[in-house]
Amino acid sequence: MQDIMTRELQESMDIDSAGRSIESPNGLKGNGFHLYPVSAGASGEGLPYAPEDWPNLGDKWGWKAGRRITNSGYYTDRYIYPPIRLCQDGKASSFKSRLSLEQYIRAKFPDADVYAFFASFCWKIPSESCEDNDKEKFKSLVGISEHSGSGNDLRCKAGNKVCSSLGAGEMSDSAVMFCDICCNEPGFCRDCCCILCCRTITEAFGGYDYITCEANIEGCVCGHNCHIDCALRAYMAGTVGGSIGLDAEYYCRRCDSRTDLVSHVEKLVKNCESIDSRDDIEKVLKVCIRVLRGSKKTNAYHLLHQIELAMEKLKDGAFVGDIWKKEDASPVTSDNEMVELSPIANGASKSTDVKESRDSETGSPPTSSSKFHHRVESLKLEDKIDQVLQALRKSQEIEYRLAEEKLSAQKSHIKNLYQQLDKEKSELSGHTSQKDQDELFDVILNCVDQIKQEVSKFKDMEEVANGFGRVPKHILQEQFGLDI
Ligand SMILES: [Zn+2]
Ligand SMILES: [Zn+2]
Ligand SMILES: [Zn+2]
Ligand SMILES: [Zn+2]
């Protein structure tokens, strides 16, 4: 143990000298590692940042630097890849933590000297963007923050002892998206904190209280979590109108991706089967109902109906094991209405569509499903409202354009008359004979009359400000050319 710490301290000292070695070629140190800073996302094989000739001669491990950098100038995330011959099915696997790598080594090579393994290469990769003065800072920090654990520096930033990142021993930790917003915050851990309230999430009952964004952002997973409650309150989950426009979906504030919540709820409902406590089942179902409420997706409201039925049974005191059982009130109901839980997981939407059309054909719904039919009817009405409002918006736009066009045309007409009036006036001042003057006077008076008329027409047209419906018929016909 002591050896490793001493060794790592030496390695970190090497980084400093390696930085300077750009000027001086004598960058190699006694321990054999020639460390060089690398750019974000850089990758390579073997030493100094991955093992070589281990476990067999000629074996080379791969390494890749992440993007986040610690205060001390190292990459926070770094990935290590076993030699391809060790990967199952030839599929590349990666490890992002010392702990998961250590667990892998212990499981796969029980006799191996894990300390010697980690000492054979340098775990930490220095960043190229780390300035020399930062390196000085890092020198003094090293040994305080990085070596407090037992051979691994894995710690949840939020101090969460049950953080999923600590228990992870899985082979393939896929690369997570670079984040310098929330993930830069001290105390925020992407693996266990809610992106909205920053409190930790819980894995209880299949993780019913949060959703993880698994969107693929340029080959990396977003991986940010959010409490469902927080997302619902912030109108970032469930069914939300307006510009966000969600339909039983979750909107990730970090990466702007949407996640379907129907399949998430299906998973939660499935999980309910293994929960014994009524209170706990109720807690989970309440969340499910809030997520699905108001959705226009066919599979969402079928699922919601089922959950509501289960909730009713639960409240009526039914046995926990019975709440998901089919009702056998009438043959029609059991055949057509109820959707069993298992088909949901295998894509119930196909079958539910068929059921819906059959329901509308029969015309007389069985009483036990009247609630369901109300919902279908009310959704149909909502659809109608949408159509009507869209049509209204369209016709309003047409009326607006017509009003704009006609008002502008009238304005130009009046303007032209004024210009003509000016012209006549100036001609009048140039003529001296009484006859000419009289004639021009008539023309001018005529013009003034015409202007008065057109201005009064314009005033009539202004009525359109309150909508075409308020404009008197004759004005619509004469000024707007509308045939009523
Ligand atoms: Zn983040
Ligand atoms: Zn954590
Ligand atoms: Zn939260
Ligand atoms: Zn996301």
Side-chain angles (χ1 to χ4, degrees):
M1 184 63 250
Q2 193 59 42
D3 282 347
I4 287 183
M5 288 173 66
T6 324
R7 176 67 163 273
E8 284 187 2
L9 201 61
Q10 280 170 352
E11 287 167 14
S12 25
M13 304 291 275
D14 285 346
I15 290 161
D16 196 35
S17 50
R20 282 180 201 148
S21 77
I22 296 164
E23 294 107 47
S24 135
N26 304 322
L28 269 171
K29 271 291 177 186
N31 58 13
F33 291 139
H34 182 163
L35 302 181
Y36 51 92
V38 305
S39 54
S43 58
E45 269 193 333
L47 293 173
Y49 301 129
E52 253 180 30
D53 299 331
W54 200 97
N56 294 346
L57 209 67
D59 281 341
K60 269 198 176 177
W61 295 59
W63 59 266
K64 183 174 188 280
R67 296 193 176 275
R68 296 185 294 165
I69 301 164
T70 62
N71 286 339
S72 48
Y74 290 125
Y75 287 103
T76 311
D77 309 306
R78 58 99 79 220
Y79 307 94
I80 198 154
Y81 308 88
I84 215 76
R85 67 170 192 88
L86 294 180
C87 299
Q88 278 171 350
D89 317 322
K91 253 172 63 189
S93 313
S94 70
F95 300 94
K96 70 171 177 184
S97 71
R98 286 176 75 123
L99 186 61
S100 56
L101 177 58
E102 188 183 321
Q103 283 170 344
Y104 168 74
I105 296 293
R106 284 192 197 281
K108 196 135 181 146
F109 309 99
D111 298 321
D113 180 347
V114 176
Y115 294 133
F117 171 78
F118 276 102
S120 74
F121 69 101
C122 180
W123 175 261
K124 291 182 292 179
I125 304 177
S127 159
E128 204 177 52
S129 61
C130 173
E131 299 295 330
D132 277 352
N133 53 354
D134 287 333
K135 284 178 190 152
E136 287 304 318
K137 190 168 73 186
F138 129 76
K139 252 170 81 180
S140 59
L141 284 171
V142 94
I144 302 168
S145 61
E146 309 271 349
H147 303 285
S148 46
S150 54
N152 72 68
D153 55 1
L154 206 64
R155 229 166 5 104
C156 165
K157 263 167 77 191
N160 178 6
K161 289 199 176 105
V162 292
C163 173
S164 63
S165 68
L166 299 174
E170 68 264 36
M171 275 282 289
S172 53
D173 281 321
S174 49
V176 287
M177 174 183 103
F178 167 67
C179 172
D180 59 356
I181 303 178
C182 47
C183 296
N184 246 7
E185 294 291 319
F188 180 89
C189 167
R190 184 179 332 204
D191 292 307
C192 71
C193 291
C194 166
I195 193 171
L196 293 179
C197 74
C198 296
R199 290 199 302 266
T200 52
I201 53 168
T202 143
E203 298 292 338
F205 316 125
Y208 80 101
D209 85 326
Y210 74 94
I211 175 92
T212 304
C213 175
E214 281 163 6
N216 189 311
I217 311 294
E218 293 168 359
C220 297
V221 174
C222 167
H224 288 82
N225 298 300
C226 184
H227 286 124
I228 289 185
D229 184 55
C230 291
L232 284 164
R233 283 165 193 264
Y235 300 104
M236 287 183 174
T239 298
V240 181
S243 54
I244 299 178
L246 298 176
D247 190 354
E249 288 166 303
Y250 162 64
Y251 179 88
C252 174
R253 195 186 67 168
R254 181 61 192 83
C255 76
D256 298 330
S257 302
R258 284 149 202 269
T259 304
D260 173 52
L261 288 179
V262 182
S263 48
H264 183 71
V265 169
E266 282 168 357
K267 260 185 269 163
L268 295 181
V269 168
K270 200 97 195 99
N271 265 320
C272 273
E273 289 175 359
S274 53
I275 304 175
D276 296 326
S277 148
R278 310 177 74 84
D279 287 349
D280 291 340
I281 295 177
E282 199 178 321
K283 226 189 288 180
V284 176
L285 294 188
K286 272 187 182 161
V287 169
C288 294
I289 290 173
R290 286 176 70 200
V291 166
L292 297 180
R293 192 173 284 151
S295 169
K296 288 184 182 168
K297 289 178 180 169
T298 317
N299 57 349
Y301 61 71
H302 279 79
L303 185 57
L304 178 63
H305 169 63
Q306 247 187 304
I307 296 170
E308 282 175 343
L309 275 182
M311 193 71 148
E312 268 171 35
K313 285 189 202 167
L314 195 69
K315 286 193 170 155
D316 288 348
F319 287 114
V320 167
D322 290 343
I323 60 167
W324 299 109
K325 280 195 181 149
K326 276 198 290 184
E327 272 173 22
D328 44 18
S330 77
V332 187
T333 311
S334 54
D335 270 340
N336 288 352
E337 290 298 331
M338 297 296 290
V339 184
E340 269 196 287
L341 274 178
S342 32
I344 287 175
N346 325 325
S349 47
K350 274 183 230 148
S351 55
T352 49
D353 283 347
V354 177
K355 284 179 190 107
E356 196 191 333
S357 62
R358 259 202 255 168
D359 290 341
S360 45
E361 277 162 31
T362 54
S364 51
T367 35
S368 66
S369 64
S370 59
K371 212 171 170 185
F372 165 71
H373 276 268
H374 291 157
R375 194 169 297 121
V376 173
E377 286 311 313
S378 104
L379 282 169
K380 280 183 188 162
L381 291 178
E382 275 179 39
D383 271 352
K384 253 284 106 18
I385 293 176
D386 274 353
Q387 286 171 14
V388 168
L389 289 180
Q390 261 175 22
L392 174 65
R393 180 169 294 152
K394 215 173 209 169
S395 67
Q396 278 179 336
E397 276 169 14
I398 293 171
E399 288 184 349
Y400 179 88
R401 278 200 296 274
L402 179 69
E404 190 182 28
E405 187 190 306
K406 294 288 179 186
L407 285 166
S408 305
Q410 184 67 5
K411 182 206 78 183
S412 309
H413 185 44
I414 295 172
K415 197 176 141 199
N416 288 342
L417 288 173
Y418 272 117
Q419 279 169 349
Q420 201 188 327
L421 182 65
D422 280 349
K423 209 174 118 210
E424 312 290 0
K425 275 184 182 166
S426 66
E427 265 185 48
L428 179 68
S429 58
H431 288 267
T432 42
S433 90
Q434 190 59 45
K435 197 181 160 229
D436 282 352
Q437 278 191 356
D438 284 350
E439 271 177 17
L440 279 167
F441 231 54
D442 282 347
V443 172
I444 286 170
L445 284 179
N446 216 333
C447 197
V448 169
D449 275 350
Q450 225 183 324
I451 288 174
K452 272 186 190 161
Q453 273 176 28
E454 295 306 319
V455 167
S456 126
K457 274 187 198 169
F458 191 88
K459 281 228 151 53
D460 287 346
M461 290 170 84
E462 284 174 19
E463 297 262 353
V464 83
N466 299 317
F468 275 92
R470 299 284 181 89
V471 182
K473 225 173 164 183
H474 72 277
I475 299 177
L476 284 180
Q477 278 170 342
E478 287 159 22
Q479 317 308 343
F480 293 96
L482 291 173
D483 245 347
I484 310 292

